[in-house]
Amino acid sequence: LQTGGLSEVAVRPLAPLPRAPMRCRTLAGHGGKVYALAWSRDNQHIISTAQDMRLFLWHALRGYKVQCA
């Protein structure tokens, strides 16, 4: 630490985050086994790919398809 700065830093463990209620939803649309999925950085969307070789972009909270490719 630099002179004239903080001379002591208090370190304490972080409090646990409160648990959000968990919701389960089935996102129907793929014509085969789902191979992979990933969440967007803002947690608003999910992208999935499956045995049918299609990509789906889903609105995670509402459960509808935004785009198909």
Side-chain angles (χ1 to χ4, degrees), residues 2 7-9 16-17 25-26 39 41 45 51 53 57 62:
Q2 297 177 349
S7 60
E8 190 176 302
V9 177
L17 295 173
R25 184 183 305 256
T26 299
W39 287 87
R41 289 185 182 175
H45 296 92
Q51 193 174 21
M53 298 177 61
L57 178 65
R62 306 242 193 270

Side-chain angles (χ1 to χ4, degrees), residues 11-46:
V11 178
R12 61 186 163 161
L14 296 174
L17 295 173
R19 288 192 169 253
M22 188 180 291
R23 289 191 209 169
C24 294
R25 184 183 305 256
T26 299
L27 303 173
H30 281 294
K33 293 179 183 177
V34 173
Y35 289 143
L37 60 90
W39 287 87
S40 64
R41 289 185 182 175
D42 62 3
N43 290 325
Q44 297 292 313
H45 296 92
I46 300 170

